[in-house]
Structures are given as C-alpha cells and as structure tokens.
C-alpha cells in the first residue's frame, strides 16, 4: 500500500484529481489543510459523491 499527499490551488482541481484516482479503482480521501477553517475531511466512503458534480459534489 502506498500513500501520497498532494496540494491543489483549488477545490475543482482536487475534485478532478480524485475522479482520476477513483477511475483507476484506487481509494482516495480529501480534506483541508491547516489553518483553513472550517476544517473539512472527506473520507473514502464520501469521496465519489464529493468529487462528482453529477452526484451533487
């Protein structure tokens, strides 16, 4: 198992990357970095809904 962390300038960029990861059949999670408030964490169970605009993300 390999873990990688990436930073993105926008949430849209992060969502596009997450969709690429999911398309490969891999697991992903997302979240905000400190000191951004309010903190947001998107776990693997919610990542597809968060990233896909067609699902309300």
């Amino acid at each position: 198992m390999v873990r990688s962390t990436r930073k993105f300038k926008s949430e849209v960029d992060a969502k596009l990357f997450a969709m690429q990861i999911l398309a490969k059949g891999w697991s992903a999670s997302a979240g905000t970095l400190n000191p951004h408030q309010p903190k947001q964490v998107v776990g693997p169970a919610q990542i597809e809904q968060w990233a896909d605009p067609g699902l309300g993300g």
Side-chain angles (χ1 to χ4, degrees), residues 14-49:
K15 287 181 177 188
L16 290 171
F17 182 74
M19 290 303 293
Q20 292 173 358
I21 295 299
L22 294 174
K24 293 178 181 180
W26 298 347
S27 177
S29 62
T32 54
L33 296 172
N34 290 332
H36 184 79
Q37 294 293 330
K39 185 172 180 161
Q40 181 182 8
V41 176
V42 182
Q46 298 89 24
I47 195 82
E48 188 171 2
Q49 183 175 355

